[in-house]
Amino acid sequence: MAKVSVNLDDELEDEPGSQKLKELAAPLPSVSKAKSLALKDAPRVQFSFTNVPEPIKEAFAREARKRGLTKKELLYECLRAGGINVPASVEIDGRRR
């Protein structure tokens, strides 16, 4: 009876098609998730303005409370209204990594 040789070695590193197989098997990256993760992991910096009239500061804080937002979230809303592409707060909150 003839003997059958079976190679169960899964090491395909030396095979010429192994890299192509790995590329095809890899999951596709999500652009939106990549942006959100980049913003979550970005270094945090202080963002402040020079002195503004107190009534403007109070009006801003009052509007944030009225909408049930933090001042930072209201700032993001204002930036979005101005046409700047700012993702939702939950997507960029660094505490939720």
Side-chain angles (χ1 to χ4, degrees):
M1 178 179 255
K3 291 188 177 184
V4 176
S5 175
V6 178
N7 183 5
L8 298 177
D9 187 14
D10 288 341
E11 296 296 322
L12 299 175
E13 299 300 323
D14 298 332
E15 301 275 333
S18 67
Q19 186 62 31
K20 186 65 175 173
L21 284 173
K22 286 181 181 180
E23 289 174 12
L24 291 172
L28 296 175
S30 166
V31 175
S32 64
K33 283 190 178 186
K35 281 183 182 178
S36 143
L37 286 175
L39 288 172
K40 276 186 180 183
D41 294 337
R44 298 306 197 230
V45 296
Q46 187 70 34
F47 186 84
S48 61
F49 299 98
T50 59
N51 294 333
V52 295
E54 191 171 353
I56 291 175
K57 180 181 175 187
E58 290 172 358
F60 191 81
R62 195 170 38 254
E63 185 64 24
R65 278 193 306 274
K66 185 173 97 175
R67 293 180 184 211
L69 302 171
T70 65
K71 289 186 228 176
K72 185 190 299 185
E73 291 170 331
L74 180 58
L75 173 65
Y76 291 165
E77 289 293 323
C78 292
L79 291 172
R80 286 184 199 108
I84 297 175
N85 185 14
V86 178
S89 296
V90 295
E91 292 181 27
I92 59 176
D93 188 350
R95 298 170 296 177
R96 298 181 181 118
R97 294 179 199 195

